[in-house]
Amino acid sequence: MEKPLSIRTQDVTLSERQEALIRRRAADLEKFYPRLVGCSVAVEGPGAHKKGSAGYRVALDLRVPGADPLIVNRTRRERLDRAIGDAFDVASRRLDEFGRVQRGETKAPRASGSA
């Protein structure tokens, strides 16, 4: 990646194991899609939200050349490890789809609202 991995937290402290998981999964994304320019990860704890919306939220902002950022915003999970895994699983699928479109293996999705 051209830009170093960025990890931001709000209302949660990551353990060494959780931070290592994020770093490993980001490195896996770069292996999967070597042209990845940057990856920012935001982790929010349950305290950052109104009552009734407990759980952890993990959001990824992936920068790829020649395209808008790929944003992954996962719904809340009770377990942080699960939220991290879910977010990176979705990111892998989005990068796979993006790569297929770039290689011309599939058509680009139509913009919403077009007829």
Side-chain angles (χ1 to χ4, degrees), residues 18-83:
Q18 290 163 334
E19 185 172 340
L21 174 62
I22 290 171
R23 291 186 182 286
R24 181 179 57 80
R25 294 295 305 261
D28 290 345
L29 286 180
E30 188 175 17
K31 288 178 191 171
F32 181 74
Y33 189 83
R35 295 181 60 205
L36 187 64
V37 174
C39 176
S40 297
V41 181
V43 181
E44 292 181 14
H49 311 289
K50 295 178 183 175
K51 191 175 182 177
S53 61
Y56 296 94
R57 186 174 81 80
V58 177
L60 281 77
D61 179 338
L62 305 173
R63 302 297 168 135
V64 293
D68 290 335
L70 300 175
I71 306 295
V72 175
N73 223 346
R74 296 312 302 152
T75 56
R76 304 191 201 301
R77 294 285 186 194
E78 291 297 319
R79 292 182 36 222
L80 180 53
D81 292 352
R82 175 71 143 238

